Amino acid sequence: MNDNLNENLEHYNNEPSLHINDQNLINSLLPHYENTDIGIWCFEIDTENYSVMSRGIEYISGYPKEALENEIEWTSLVHPEDLPKFLENNKYLESGKISRQQYRIIDKHGRVKWLQDFTIPTIDTNGRLIKIDGITSDITEQKLMEEKLKFLSEYDPYTKLPNRRKFFNALETRFHKYEDKNRKFAVMTIDMDRFKFINDTLGHEIADELFKEVASRLNNLLSPYDLLARYGEDEFAILIDTIESIESITTIAERMINAFKEPFYIENYQLYATANIGVSTFPENGNNSIELIRNANLALYKSQKAGKNKYHIISHLSSIQSFKSFSLGRDLKKALENNEMVLHFQPRVDAFTNEIISAEALIRWNHPEWGIISPIEFLTIAEENGFIEDVDNWVLNEVCHQMKLLKERQILTVPISINISAVHFSVYNWQEKVASIIEDYGIDSKDLEFEITESLLLNNDDSVQHTLNALKSLGIKIVLDDFGTGYSSLSYLTHFPFDIIKIDKSFTQNMVINEKDLFIVKSIIFMAKGLNIKVVAEGVETLEQLKLLKEEQCDEIQGYLFSKPVPIEEFISLLKKKSLKPLDPSVKGAENKRKYNRIELPYPLEAEMRLVSFAGQSLQLGKSHALIQNVSIGGLRCITNLNLPVRGDIHLQFDTEILDQAIRLIGKVIWKEEMKEDLFVYGIEFVQNDEKQPSFKILLDQLNDELKKENGVFLKKMIKGDITVYFNKQKKFF
Ligand code: C2E
Ligand code: CA
Ligand code: CA
């Protein structure tokens, strides 16, 4: 309130003084003001008397004019909270300055009123204050309206909880609230399941009551400094003012999830709700409000993927990954418009003749900043953002378009298979849309195959079956993809009209080492033969796998052994060959591309890796892990499971210790190789200034000497064992 007072106090230093000292004028004005909320008065300093006081003052204060003139001091009416400021402001009058201020009084009936004073001092030739003229108006109504507006702009009118705006402002303020800027805090976003359902079926009064009940349960778990807000129709956001550790936030999140387990009693209803919680923390997950909220939402999304009543705290190690996911999410819509998507084609060959039978169209995103992005990375984002239909439609159109071009160029082609997401099966009359696209391009529908996964078959059999039959009657072949991974039920094979099943690559790859997997592969092939369904083995990488599959009479093979997915022009040259030879599966290692002598480390050195700038933009993100394999004065080679593009304007910072000395190295990615799925090797060239180099050079020389001595002092910080095992173990943190 005092702030208000301050804001509203103005001093008119330069204004020509308006002196209401013509008594006749005042007296003639008075009658006009007698019945209003405005009081006009004139106070004589010497006699301590009001020479003028209009009736308005009576209305405002509730006291009769006479009482105010003789017994009651005006200051005694001023609200105690506003009094010090009021007195201080009045002091200005002594120096002859006009003042305007707003303050509260308590009137005769005990009511609080907001007043505005406009006061004009009169100074004599000696500079002495002799008289004060004033206009006092009752602005209570206006103030109430202002407060109401402020409330409406900051609170949800139904539940009276702080709203999104208030939350955002509180979060902004939190960054500067404490002197200790490193005090950790957290942002939580909570999504309530079933809220929309309850809203639709029982009405919004019940739903709002439920929301309030939930809010009060959550509030009980919070400290008075935390802020719980209604962030969306069925969403809460919480600012946890201070957190001690990740464990403390885990405890809060667990208690919150538990708070949803008991039913809510609203009127005559016993209601159940579930929730998902996403948490991001400062400073690890962002240094501004937008980033923290985004990361909390990303965590929320991850928790939703894990099921109902789950929470997810954005890992401190995954900031680079989440930064990437967010930029991908942000850019996805544009990507389709800007033609940044490309199709690669991977041939499927006859297991015995090696002839190309078909090919799978696999999408890639050629992102202007991140380079080629795998569908695994962006399809979940597309699903989340509701773009998956657009993506798949683009693929269907593009496949048809490419087939048309091949036809025009008179290149003999093979049927192309397309991956279809489950969402299409809930699009009304989707098969008709497909039919019209095919017709527009003048493509033979027999040249198309649609791949679906088992998860689709779990629900609503009837409509799915109907759509599949309709597609099949168009002439499109239906492929059951990733067979064996999901909810495999053999009955699917007889209920649905599959032409082809694809054995998932996890079986193909494990069957050589695991007898059970081999048995599954054998059974699938055996069964499919009996049902007259063709079998394709996916992910075939070695001659040994090929041999086993041939022994079992597997029909077709798809995998790196014959070809990786390739761009259209390369695919055309494969088509021209008609049949493919299995490739030599020996893998090339990453070469040494640096000009300096490198030190090969006997065990990889663990480092904290941070993305410090990206495309000219400086970033402050949390750390990820990397393992340094070798290092020289000019650069290093490391392994991480982050997929980063090769570009000069990505600067990575590595913090590690060599011989008990903490070092920080900054460099750019100059080459990259995929080691395994989700594991990448990078060549880094240092970019930091050369001044630091002499000491780093000395350190490297020392390291070299130690290594020669093989006394292993420096191994303190190093990780023993197999890198892959290390990463597999760590995977859950990324
Ligand atoms: P999928 O349908 O199982 O596709 C096969 C995946 O296995 C492809 O990964 C392919 O590159 C990879 N692969 C093929 N041969 C080998 C091999 O010998 N070894 C190994 N390790 N991998 C091999 P990709 O292209 O990354 O696609 C991943 C998944 O993304 C696909 O799995 C599919 O589910 C989805 N996807 C790809 N393109 C599209 C699309 O256009 N639309 C939709 N909805 N999904 C797509
Ligand atoms: Ca597929
Ligand atoms: Ca597959």
Side-chain angles (χ1 to χ4, degrees):
M1 293 297 173
N2 281 342
D3 284 350
N4 256 342
L5 216 60
N6 258 347
E7 263 171 40
N8 292 314
L9 173 77
E10 296 164 37
H11 302 288
Y12 296 83
N13 290 327
N14 304 321
E15 228 176 61
S17 283
L18 162 73
H19 288 214
I20 317 178
N21 51 9
D22 182 338
Q23 203 60 53
N24 293 333
L25 176 68
I26 290 175
N27 287 338
S28 69
L29 275 175
L30 274 178
H32 299 286
Y33 290 100
E34 288 300 337
N35 289 315
T36 69
D37 290 346
I38 293 177
I40 298 179
W41 47 270
C42 175
F43 187 76
E44 309 289 341
I45 301 290
D46 287 341
T47 57
E48 292 194 2
N49 249 330
Y50 286 96
S51 54
V52 175
M53 186 182 280
S54 75
R55 287 276 165 214
I57 296 292
E58 290 192 346
Y59 294 124
I60 290 170
S61 67
Y63 292 102
K65 195 171 152 179
E66 294 67 32
L68 290 167
E69 278 169 349
N70 301 316
E71 313 141 33
I72 301 169
E73 287 243 9
W74 189 252
T75 45
S76 70
L77 305 185
V78 177
H79 194 289
E81 277 179 24
D82 296 350
L83 187 61
K85 207 78 197 170
F86 178 82
L87 295 175
E88 194 188 322
N89 287 334
N90 281 349
K91 277 203 204 122
Y92 287 102
L93 296 170
E94 287 169 18
S95 55
K97 288 175 190 159
I98 292 177
S99 94
R100 177 184 285 170
Q101 64 170 324
Q102 295 184 349
Y103 60 99
R104 288 167 297 174
I105 59 157
I106 299 170
D107 77 357
K108 188 180 177 205
H109 312 288
R111 288 177 302 212
V112 174
K113 286 186 173 169
W114 270 100
L115 304 186
Q116 177 165 282
D117 270 7
F118 179 57
T119 30
I120 305 153
T122 304
I123 309 280
D124 69 7
T125 43
N126 300 325
R128 212 170 50 86
L129 177 67
I130 50 167
K131 193 170 85 145
I132 307 168
D133 295 301
I135 299 173
T136 297
S137 40
D138 183 345
I139 54 164
T140 311
E141 286 289 316
Q142 180 191 332
K143 278 282 173 190
L144 286 179
M145 189 58 87
E146 271 172 27
E147 269 170 27
K148 206 166 171 182
L149 282 177
K150 191 162 156 53
F151 184 84
L152 284 178
S153 73
E154 294 194 326
Y155 292 84
D156 170 47
Y158 304 112
T159 57
K160 311 275 186 286
L161 286 171
N163 65 12
R164 189 184 265 257
R165 175 202 297 251
K166 172 116 179 140
F167 179 79
F168 194 81
N169 291 343
L171 184 54
E172 289 279 286
T173 313
R174 175 58 187 79
F175 283 94
H176 318 288
K177 188 168 162 190
Y178 298 105
E179 250 175 48
D180 173 9
K181 293 275 176 287
N182 294 325
R183 240 161 110 166
K184 284 172 185 281
F185 63 93
V187 169
M188 283 183 162
T189 48
I190 304 185
D191 188 69
M192 233 164 89
D193 213 32
R194 286 176 54 80
F195 182 80
K196 287 203 176 81
F197 174 76
I198 290 167
N199 201 37
D200 292 347
T201 51
L202 302 178
H204 95 87
E205 270 110 24
I206 299 281
D208 286 335
E209 276 309 308
L210 172 66
F211 206 88
K212 277 199 246 177
E213 276 296 309
V214 172
S216 103
R217 281 192 199 175
L218 294 177
N219 252 330
N220 285 341
L221 301 169
L222 299 172
S223 92
Y225 304 104
D226 303 337
L227 182 83
L228 171 81
R230 182 173 199 164
Y231 205 69
E233 200 196 351
D234 51 359
E235 249 187 314
F236 292 98
I238 300 176
L239 168 62
I240 308 274
D241 186 77
T242 302
I243 51 167
E244 302 306 329
S245 63
I246 283 298
E247 287 70 38
S248 64
I249 202 88
T250 309
T251 315
I252 299 177
E254 269 163 14
R255 288 191 185 144
M256 287 183 166
I257 293 290
N258 284 333
F260 279 88
K261 294 201 171 141
E262 293 292 310
F264 295 87
Y265 296 97
I266 314 280
E267 292 188 6
N268 291 326
Y269 301 100
Q270 176 176 338
L271 301 174
Y272 285 89
T274 57
N276 284 89
I277 305 180
V279 187
S280 69
T281 58
F282 170 84
E284 292 82 1
N285 308 131
N287 55 4
N288 63 53
S289 304
I290 293 174
E291 258 175 47
L292 284 175
I293 293 173
R294 269 190 194 159
N295 278 325
N297 281 335
L298 178 77
L300 176 64
Y301 173 68
K302 288 199 172 161
S303 90
Q304 284 165 334
K305 287 260 136 178
K308 289 183 174 161
N309 270 346
K310 293 271 186 315
Y311 67 90
H312 185 96
I313 301 174
I314 276 275
S315 158
H316 290 198
L317 301 171
S318 70
S319 301
I320 300 179
Q321 191 57 52
S322 57
F323 169 66
K324 184 173 178 186
S325 300
F326 273 110
S327 37
L328 297 187
R330 183 196 58 203
D331 301 342
L332 194 58
K333 191 169 184 251
K334 267 200 331 256
L336 288 167
E337 292 161 10
N338 294 353
N339 270 330
E340 286 166 14
M341 298 294 174
V342 279
L343 285 183
H344 283 189
F345 297 85
Q346 185 179 37
R348 230 161 66 197
V349 303
D350 184 294
F352 297 91
T353 64
N354 295 357
E355 197 186 328
I356 302 176
I357 305 290
S358 162
E360 180 172 6
L362 293 156
I363 193 168
R364 272 96 188 87
W365 177 5
N366 194 358
H367 189 280
E369 283 168 353
W370 292 98
I372 299 278
I373 313 276
S374 128
I376 301 177
E377 222 171 327
F378 70 83
L379 288 177
T380 40
I381 302 175
E383 265 172 39
E384 174 198 7
N385 297 357
F387 289 135
I388 190 75
E389 256 186 86
D390 298 342
V391 170
D392 279 1
N393 287 336
W394 179 87
V395 174
L396 178 61
N397 273 289
E398 184 62 13
V399 165
C400 292
H401 175 66
Q402 293 294 353
M403 287 179 106
K404 189 177 166 206
L405 292 180
L406 290 176
K407 221 164 128 185
E408 281 166 12
R409 287 166 70 182
Q410 296 183 325
I411 295 166
L412 214 57
T413 182
V414 291
I416 303 288
S417 65
I418 302 175
N419 294 284
I420 304 291
S421 329
V423 287
H424 295 279
F425 288 80
S426 30
V427 174
Y428 179 69
N429 266 353
W430 176 60
Q431 63 275 18
E432 284 176 16
K433 292 187 181 114
V434 171
S436 88
I437 293 175
I438 296 174
E439 202 184 307
D440 287 350
Y441 283 98
I443 302 300
D444 190 346
S445 50
K446 292 197 179 49
D447 283 341
L448 283 182
E449 299 172 350
F450 280 4
E451 301 194 5
I452 60 159
T453 56
E454 290 159 294
S455 58
L456 174 68
L457 310 174
L458 271 180
N459 312 321
N460 48 19
D461 292 29
D462 284 352
S463 69
V464 170
Q465 185 141 21
H466 173 78
T467 313
L468 286 178
N469 284 330
L471 291 169
K472 193 160 166 138
S473 60
L474 284 176
I476 297 171
K477 289 200 194 77
I478 309 295
V479 183
L480 182 56
D481 201 359
D482 301 345
F483 190 71
T485 50
Y487 316 85
S488 301
S489 156
L490 298 181
S491 64
Y492 294 152
L493 294 180
T494 51
H495 282 152
F496 296 97
F498 298 114
D499 300 284
I500 298 161
I501 56 176
K502 284 188 160 184
I503 304 175
D504 188 68
K505 57 175 176 285
S506 59
F507 296 108
T508 320
Q509 295 179 343
N510 288 333
M511 67 181 181
V512 189
I513 40 172
N514 185 329
E515 277 198 0
K516 281 190 190 147
D517 285 310
L518 179 61
F519 182 74
I520 291 173
V521 170
K522 284 182 178 180
S523 320
I524 297 174
I525 299 174
F526 179 77
M527 212 166 46
K529 296 258 159 204
L531 293 166
N532 211 10
I533 300 173
K534 272 211 153 45
V535 190
V536 179
E538 266 191 331
V540 180
E541 293 181 1
T542 67
L543 289 168
E544 194 187 1
Q545 291 161 356
L546 177 65
K547 184 169 162 276
L548 275 174
L549 290 163
K550 280 165 85 169
E551 279 169 17
E552 298 310 317
Q553 303 292 311
C554 177
D555 302 298
E556 293 173 28
I557 306 291
Q558 182 178 349
Y560 295 171
L561 182 62
F562 287 94
S563 169
K564 287 200 163 183
V566 292
I568 184 74
E569 284 308 319
E570 242 177 278
F571 178 55
I572 291 173
S573 43
L574 296 181
L575 280 175
K576 285 180 181 160
K577 288 191 203 160
K578 292 212 169 62
S579 71
L580 303 175
K581 283 197 192 74
L583 304 164
D584 191 277
S586 65
V587 192
K588 304 196 299 291
E591 317 142 44
N592 174 27
K593 292 162 178 137
R594 269 173 279 128
K595 50 183 187 247
Y596 302 100
N597 277 342
R598 59 181 178 176
I599 302 176
E600 286 297 343
L601 301 170
Y603 296 104
L605 175 66
E606 191 182 5
E608 285 178 359
M609 182 172 93
R610 283 183 174 78
L611 185 56
V612 287
S613 85
F614 184 85
Q617 179 196 353
S618 315
L619 299 168
Q620 272 186 305
L621 300 171
K623 56 180 192 264
S624 294
H625 274 220
L627 296 178
I628 300 177
Q629 289 184 305
N630 69 41
V631 59
S632 77
I633 183 100
L636 58 81
R637 171 180 150 143
C638 71
I639 302 177
T640 162
N641 51 9
L642 281 171
N643 189 356
L644 298 165
V646 177
R647 14 180 324 156
D649 56 2
I650 286 197
H651 289 182
L652 294 167
Q653 171 183 304
F654 297 85
D655 286 301
T656 186
E657 257 176 55
I658 293 180
L659 300 175
D660 280 340
Q661 197 173 321
I663 51 162
R664 170 165 291 181
L665 304 161
I666 298 177
K668 58 186 182 192
V669 180
I670 51 167
W671 58 263
K672 133 176 163 191
E673 246 156 59
E674 191 169 352
M675 243 178 103
K676 271 182 126 268
E677 231 169 294
D678 278 355
L679 217 49
F680 303 88
V681 189
Y682 292 94
I684 306 291
E685 189 178 284
F686 296 145
V687 293
Q688 77 238 67
N689 36 359
D690 286 336
E691 299 141 40
K692 290 200 181 130
Q693 293 304 319
S695 64
F696 183 50
K697 185 175 182 335
I698 296 166
L699 187 65
L700 286 188
D701 288 344
Q702 281 172 357
L703 175 64
N704 218 357
D705 292 345
E706 290 294 338
L707 278 173
K708 276 184 197 142
K709 283 193 249 158
E710 278 184 320
N711 65 1
V713 176
F714 76 102
L715 293 182
K716 212 171 84 187
K717 263 259 133 185
M718 298 196 174
I719 294 139
K720 297 194 174 78
D722 180 59
I723 298 161
T724 321
V725 172
Y726 172 76
F727 268 105
N728 283 341
K729 266 199 273 170
Q730 294 289 312
K731 229 170 187 171
K732 56 177 181 291
F733 300 119
F734 282 80

